[in-house]
Amino acid sequence: MFIRKYMSTDFPAIRALFKHTIRVTNTRDYSVEQLAAWIGHDDEATLTAWQQSLLAHVTLVAIQDKRLVGFADMSDAGYLDRLYVRPAYQHQGVATALVDGLIAAVSVKTYTTAASITARPFFERQNFRVMHAQQVERDGCQLTNYLMVRGV
């Protein structure tokens, strides 16, 4: 596996990985309706916003077996926005390598993320601590996640 910076040509693979990972990995913690709301729509506005966000953030991709198997992005302020790993490659160090790469690239005192129910244990192992549970609305559905912090 190797980690590299995101290129705009990675976008179709990233969007497909995102959808597949949510549908497979998060089914034990969220309803079918919540998963669909989380995935959202592939309309032009959504896809443009995603691409702009990935380009504005420090975005890393993990490549293994000649395919994109994970990605993560972080703002300059230390907010880890997205972290997704293809289900067949989970529990193999991909997510840890992505988080380590982001933290090495973005030097701040405090890192934050809004972790899903599913991702919370991973982030706790990465020394993030839960500040509080929160409800976010996506497409009329409420989803639980956790504001988590690492650092001072």
Side-chain angles (χ1 to χ4, degrees):
M1 172 187 62
F2 70 96
I3 306 294
R4 66 164 168 79
K5 289 185 176 181
Y6 170 75
M7 298 181 291
S8 59
T9 54
D10 295 325
F11 185 69
I14 279 181
R15 186 71 181 159
L17 184 152
F18 167 77
K19 291 188 220 179
H20 176 71
T21 301
I22 289 171
R23 288 184 183 120
V24 173
T25 304
N26 299 96
T27 57
R28 70 178 181 267
D29 297 313
Y30 297 92
S31 71
V32 171
E33 294 79 18
Q34 288 172 317
L35 296 175
W38 184 350
I39 289 169
H41 305 283
D42 283 339
D43 57 78
E44 187 175 341
T46 298
L47 298 179
T48 298
W50 261 70
Q51 182 72 283
Q52 290 173 344
S53 175
L54 292 169
L55 290 168
H57 291 167
V58 174
T59 303
L60 302 175
V61 298
I63 306 294
Q64 187 170 328
D65 303 326
K66 298 182 182 178
R67 69 189 307 198
L68 194 145
V69 300
F71 75 97
D73 67 304
M74 182 179 280
S75 74
D76 291 336
Y79 178 71
L80 198 160
D81 194 2
R82 288 166 283 232
L83 172 63
Y84 293 90
V85 174
R86 187 176 299 280
Y89 292 83
Q90 291 176 3
H91 308 289
Q92 297 177 30
V94 177
T96 299
L98 288 165
V99 171
D100 288 349
L102 290 174
I103 287 173
V106 179
S107 182
V108 294
K109 289 184 179 182
T110 304
Y111 299 93
T112 59
T113 194
S116 68
I117 295 167
T118 314
R120 177 182 168 177
F122 167 80
F123 281 106
E124 289 174 331
R125 288 190 301 275
Q126 301 302 309
N127 298 314
F128 283 77
R129 66 184 188 285
V130 174
M131 299 306 292
H132 59 82
Q134 56 189 14
Q135 296 292 311
V136 294
E137 187 201 328
R138 297 278 187 274
D139 240 7
C141 283
Q142 295 291 316
L143 291 93
T144 299
N145 69 23
Y146 299 92
L147 178 63
M148 300 186 74
V149 176
R150 173 179 167 168
V152 184

Short mmCIF file of all heavy atoms in Angstrom, two decimals, residues 67-104:
data_model
loop_
_atom_site.label_atom_id
_atom_site.label_comp_id
_atom_site.label_asym_id
_atom_site.label_seq_id
_atom_site.Cartn_x
_atom_site.Cartn_y
_atom_site.Cartn_z
N ARG A 67 -5.46 -0.27 -7.03
CA ARG A 67 -6.77 0.38 -6.92
C ARG A 67 -6.81 1.29 -5.71
O ARG A 67 -6.08 1.09 -4.75
CB ARG A 67 -7.89 -0.65 -6.89
CG ARG A 67 -7.93 -1.47 -5.62
CD ARG A 67 -8.89 -2.62 -5.66
NE ARG A 67 -10.23 -2.24 -6.04
CZ ARG A 67 -11.30 -2.98 -5.83
NH1 ARG A 67 -11.19 -4.17 -5.26
NH2 ARG A 67 -12.49 -2.57 -6.19
N LEU A 68 -7.68 2.27 -5.78
CA LEU A 68 -7.88 3.19 -4.68
C LEU A 68 -8.69 2.45 -3.61
O LEU A 68 -9.80 2.00 -3.88
CB LEU A 68 -8.62 4.43 -5.18
CG LEU A 68 -8.62 5.62 -4.24
CD1 LEU A 68 -8.57 6.91 -5.05
CD2 LEU A 68 -9.84 5.62 -3.37
N VAL A 69 -8.10 2.29 -2.42
CA VAL A 69 -8.76 1.51 -1.37
C VAL A 69 -9.17 2.35 -0.17
O VAL A 69 -9.83 1.86 0.74
CB VAL A 69 -7.89 0.33 -0.91
CG1 VAL A 69 -7.62 -0.62 -2.07
CG2 VAL A 69 -6.58 0.80 -0.27
N GLY A 70 -8.80 3.64 -0.18
CA GLY A 70 -9.20 4.50 0.92
C GLY A 70 -8.85 5.94 0.61
O GLY A 70 -8.05 6.22 -0.28
N PHE A 71 -9.51 6.85 1.34
CA PHE A 71 -9.21 8.27 1.20
C PHE A 71 -9.59 8.98 2.48
O PHE A 71 -10.42 8.49 3.26
CB PHE A 71 -9.92 8.90 -0.01
CG PHE A 71 -11.39 9.14 0.17
CD1 PHE A 71 -11.87 10.38 0.55
CD2 PHE A 71 -12.30 8.12 -0.04
CE1 PHE A 71 -13.23 10.61 0.72
CE2 PHE A 71 -13.66 8.33 0.12
CZ PHE A 71 -14.13 9.58 0.50
N ALA A 72 -8.97 10.12 2.69
CA ALA A 72 -9.27 10.95 3.86
C ALA A 72 -8.89 12.38 3.53
O ALA A 72 -7.98 12.62 2.73
CB ALA A 72 -8.49 10.47 5.08
N ASP A 73 -9.60 13.32 4.15
CA ASP A 73 -9.27 14.73 3.93
C ASP A 73 -9.39 15.52 5.22
O ASP A 73 -10.18 15.17 6.10
CB ASP A 73 -10.11 15.34 2.81
CG ASP A 73 -11.59 15.46 3.14
OD1 ASP A 73 -12.21 14.43 3.47
OD2 ASP A 73 -12.13 16.57 3.06
N MET A 74 -8.58 16.58 5.30
CA MET A 74 -8.53 17.41 6.50
C MET A 74 -8.36 18.87 6.09
O MET A 74 -7.58 19.19 5.19
CB MET A 74 -7.36 16.98 7.38
CG MET A 74 -7.23 17.74 8.68
SD MET A 74 -5.83 17.15 9.69
CE MET A 74 -6.56 15.68 10.44
N SER A 75 -9.08 19.74 6.79
CA SER A 75 -8.93 21.18 6.56
C SER A 75 -7.64 21.67 7.18
O SER A 75 -7.04 20.99 8.03
CB SER A 75 -10.12 21.94 7.16
OG SER A 75 -10.00 21.97 8.57
N ASP A 76 -7.23 22.87 6.81
CA ASP A 76 -6.03 23.48 7.39
C ASP A 76 -6.19 23.72 8.89
O ASP A 76 -5.20 23.86 9.61
CB ASP A 76 -5.70 24.81 6.71
CG ASP A 76 -5.23 24.61 5.28
OD1 ASP A 76 -4.72 23.53 4.95
OD2 ASP A 76 -5.36 25.57 4.49
N ALA A 77 -7.42 23.77 9.38
CA ALA A 77 -7.69 23.98 10.80
C ALA A 77 -7.65 22.68 11.60
O ALA A 77 -7.82 22.69 12.82
CB ALA A 77 -9.04 24.66 10.99
N GLY A 78 -7.44 21.53 10.92
CA GLY A 78 -7.35 20.26 11.62
C GLY A 78 -8.65 19.50 11.73
O GLY A 78 -8.74 18.55 12.51
N TYR A 79 -9.66 19.87 10.92
CA TYR A 79 -10.92 19.12 10.93
C TYR A 79 -10.82 17.97 9.94
O TYR A 79 -10.68 18.20 8.73
CB TYR A 79 -12.11 20.02 10.59
CG TYR A 79 -13.41 19.24 10.56
CD1 TYR A 79 -13.98 18.77 11.74
CD2 TYR A 79 -14.04 18.94 9.35
CE1 TYR A 79 -15.15 18.03 11.73
CE2 TYR A 79 -15.21 18.21 9.33
CZ TYR A 79 -15.75 17.75 10.52
OH TYR A 79 -16.91 17.01 10.50
N LEU A 80 -10.85 16.75 10.44
CA LEU A 80 -10.83 15.57 9.58
C LEU A 80 -12.26 15.35 9.08
O LEU A 80 -13.13 14.94 9.83
CB LEU A 80 -10.32 14.36 10.36
CG LEU A 80 -9.84 13.18 9.53
CD1 LEU A 80 -8.93 12.28 10.36
CD2 LEU A 80 -10.94 12.40 8.91
N ASP A 81 -12.48 15.66 7.83
CA ASP A 81 -13.83 15.68 7.26
C ASP A 81 -14.30 14.29 6.86
O ASP A 81 -15.38 13.86 7.24
CB ASP A 81 -13.86 16.63 6.07
CG ASP A 81 -15.27 16.98 5.61
OD1 ASP A 81 -16.24 16.52 6.24
OD2 ASP A 81 -15.39 17.73 4.63
N ARG A 82 -13.51 13.58 6.07
CA ARG A 82 -13.92 12.27 5.57
C ARG A 82 -12.77 11.28 5.74
O ARG A 82 -11.61 11.61 5.51
CB ARG A 82 -14.29 12.36 4.08
CG ARG A 82 -15.60 13.10 3.83
CD ARG A 82 -15.72 13.46 2.36
NE ARG A 82 -14.88 14.61 2.12
CZ ARG A 82 -15.29 15.74 1.52
NH1 ARG A 82 -16.50 15.85 1.07
NH2 ARG A 82 -14.46 16.75 1.36
N LEU A 83 -13.14 10.05 6.08
CA LEU A 83 -12.20 8.93 6.15
C LEU A 83 -12.98 7.68 5.80
O LEU A 83 -13.86 7.26 6.55
CB LEU A 83 -11.60 8.81 7.56
CG LEU A 83 -10.76 7.56 7.83
CD1 LEU A 83 -9.52 7.51 6.93
CD2 LEU A 83 -10.35 7.48 9.29
N TYR A 84 -12.67 7.11 4.64
CA TYR A 84 -13.38 5.93 4.17
C TYR A 84 -12.39 4.94 3.59
O TYR A 84 -11.47 5.32 2.86
CB TYR A 84 -14.42 6.30 3.09
CG TYR A 84 -15.54 7.12 3.67
CD1 TYR A 84 -15.47 8.50 3.70
CD2 TYR A 84 -16.65 6.50 4.24
CE1 TYR A 84 -16.48 9.26 4.27
CE2 TYR A 84 -17.66 7.25 4.81
CZ TYR A 84 -17.57 8.63 4.83
OH TYR A 84 -18.57 9.37 5.40
N VAL A 85 -12.59 3.66 3.94
CA VAL A 85 -11.74 2.59 3.44
C VAL A 85 -12.66 1.50 2.89
O VAL A 85 -13.63 1.11 3.54
CB VAL A 85 -10.84 2.02 4.57
CG1 VAL A 85 -10.06 0.80 4.07
CG2 VAL A 85 -9.90 3.10 5.08
N ARG A 86 -12.31 1.03 1.70
CA ARG A 86 -13.07 -0.05 1.05
C ARG A 86 -13.22 -1.20 2.05
O ARG A 86 -12.23 -1.60 2.69
CB ARG A 86 -12.33 -0.48 -0.21
CG ARG A 86 -13.06 -1.47 -1.06
CD ARG A 86 -12.29 -1.76 -2.35
NE ARG A 86 -12.09 -0.58 -3.17
CZ ARG A 86 -13.02 -0.05 -3.98
NH1 ARG A 86 -14.21 -0.62 -4.07
NH2 ARG A 86 -12.75 1.02 -4.70
N PRO A 87 -14.42 -1.75 2.21
CA PRO A 87 -14.65 -2.79 3.22
C PRO A 87 -13.66 -3.95 3.19
O PRO A 87 -13.20 -4.40 4.24
CB PRO A 87 -16.08 -3.27 2.93
CG PRO A 87 -16.74 -2.05 2.36
CD PRO A 87 -15.68 -1.38 1.54
N ALA A 88 -13.27 -4.42 2.03
CA ALA A 88 -12.34 -5.55 1.94
C ALA A 88 -10.94 -5.20 2.44
O ALA A 88 -10.13 -6.11 2.69
CB ALA A 88 -12.26 -6.05 0.49
N TYR A 89 -10.65 -3.91 2.64
CA TYR A 89 -9.33 -3.48 3.07
C TYR A 89 -9.34 -2.90 4.49
O TYR A 89 -8.31 -2.39 4.95
CB TYR A 89 -8.76 -2.45 2.08
CG TYR A 89 -8.43 -3.07 0.75
CD1 TYR A 89 -9.42 -3.24 -0.21
CD2 TYR A 89 -7.14 -3.51 0.44
CE1 TYR A 89 -9.15 -3.82 -1.44
CE2 TYR A 89 -6.85 -4.09 -0.77
CZ TYR A 89 -7.87 -4.25 -1.71
OH TYR A 89 -7.59 -4.84 -2.93
N GLN A 90 -10.46 -2.98 5.17
CA GLN A 90 -10.52 -2.48 6.54
C GLN A 90 -9.77 -3.42 7.48
O GLN A 90 -9.57 -4.59 7.18
CB GLN A 90 -11.99 -2.32 6.96
CG GLN A 90 -12.66 -1.19 6.20
CD GLN A 90 -14.13 -1.03 6.51
OE1 GLN A 90 -14.70 -1.72 7.34
NE2 GLN A 90 -14.77 -0.10 5.81
N HIS A 91 -9.33 -2.87 8.59
CA HIS A 91 -8.58 -3.61 9.63
C HIS A 91 -7.23 -4.09 9.11
O HIS A 91 -6.73 -5.12 9.56
CB HIS A 91 -9.42 -4.77 10.18
CG HIS A 91 -10.77 -4.34 10.63
ND1 HIS A 91 -10.97 -3.56 11.76
CD2 HIS A 91 -12.01 -4.51 10.08
CE1 HIS A 91 -12.27 -3.31 11.88
NE2 HIS A 91 -12.91 -3.87 10.88
N GLN A 92 -6.66 -3.34 8.16
CA GLN A 92 -5.34 -3.68 7.62
C GLN A 92 -4.38 -2.49 7.70
O GLN A 92 -3.34 -2.48 7.05
CB GLN A 92 -5.48 -4.14 6.17
CG GLN A 92 -6.30 -5.40 6.00
CD GLN A 92 -6.49 -5.79 4.55
OE1 GLN A 92 -5.65 -5.53 3.70
NE2 GLN A 92 -7.61 -6.42 4.27
N GLY A 93 -4.74 -1.47 8.46
CA GLY A 93 -3.86 -0.32 8.66
C GLY A 93 -4.04 0.82 7.67
O GLY A 93 -3.33 1.82 7.75
N VAL A 94 -4.98 0.70 6.75
CA VAL A 94 -5.19 1.75 5.74
C VAL A 94 -5.65 3.04 6.40
O VAL A 94 -5.09 4.11 6.16
CB VAL A 94 -6.19 1.29 4.65
CG1 VAL A 94 -6.45 2.41 3.66
CG2 VAL A 94 -5.67 0.05 3.93
N ALA A 95 -6.68 2.96 7.22
CA ALA A 95 -7.22 4.17 7.87
C ALA A 95 -6.17 4.82 8.78
O ALA A 95 -6.03 6.04 8.78
CB ALA A 95 -8.48 3.84 8.66
N THR A 96 -5.44 4.02 9.50
CA THR A 96 -4.39 4.55 10.37
C THR A 96 -3.33 5.28 9.55
O THR A 96 -2.89 6.38 9.92
CB THR A 96 -3.75 3.43 11.20
OG1 THR A 96 -4.77 2.84 12.03
CG2 THR A 96 -2.62 3.94 12.08
N ALA A 97 -2.92 4.69 8.44
CA ALA A 97 -1.92 5.34 7.58
C ALA A 97 -2.45 6.66 7.03
O ALA A 97 -1.71 7.65 6.95
CB ALA A 97 -1.53 4.40 6.44
N LEU A 98 -3.71 6.70 6.66
CA LEU A 98 -4.30 7.94 6.15
C LEU A 98 -4.34 9.01 7.24
O LEU A 98 -3.97 10.17 7.01
CB LEU A 98 -5.70 7.69 5.58
CG LEU A 98 -5.73 6.93 4.26
CD1 LEU A 98 -7.15 6.41 3.97
CD2 LEU A 98 -5.25 7.82 3.12
N VAL A 99 -4.80 8.66 8.43
CA VAL A 99 -4.86 9.62 9.54
C VAL A 99 -3.45 10.10 9.90
O VAL A 99 -3.23 11.30 10.07
CB VAL A 99 -5.59 9.03 10.76
CG1 VAL A 99 -5.46 9.93 11.97
CG2 VAL A 99 -7.06 8.80 10.44
N ASP A 100 -2.51 9.19 9.99
CA ASP A 100 -1.13 9.58 10.29
C ASP A 100 -0.59 10.55 9.24
O ASP A 100 0.09 11.52 9.57
CB ASP A 100 -0.23 8.35 10.38
CG ASP A 100 -0.48 7.51 11.63
OD1 ASP A 100 -1.19 7.96 12.54
OD2 ASP A 100 0.05 6.38 11.67
N GLY A 101 -0.89 10.29 7.98
CA GLY A 101 -0.46 11.17 6.90
C GLY A 101 -1.06 12.55 7.00
O GLY A 101 -0.37 13.56 6.77
N LEU A 102 -2.34 12.61 7.33
CA LEU A 102 -3.00 13.92 7.48
C LEU A 102 -2.41 14.69 8.65
O LEU A 102 -2.15 15.90 8.53
CB LEU A 102 -4.51 13.74 7.66
CG LEU A 102 -5.28 13.27 6.44
CD1 LEU A 102 -6.73 13.00 6.81
CD2 LEU A 102 -5.18 14.26 5.29
N ILE A 103 -2.21 14.02 9.76
CA ILE A 103 -1.67 14.70 10.94
C ILE A 103 -0.24 15.18 10.68
O ILE A 103 0.14 16.26 11.13
CB ILE A 103 -1.79 13.79 12.18
CG1 ILE A 103 -3.28 13.73 12.59
CG2 ILE A 103 -0.92 14.27 13.33
CD1 ILE A 103 -3.63 12.77 13.67
N ALA A 104 0.52 14.42 9.92
CA ALA A 104 1.87 14.87 9.56
C ALA A 104 1.82 16.08 8.63
O ALA A 104 2.70 16.95 8.69
CB ALA A 104 2.63 13.72 8.88
#
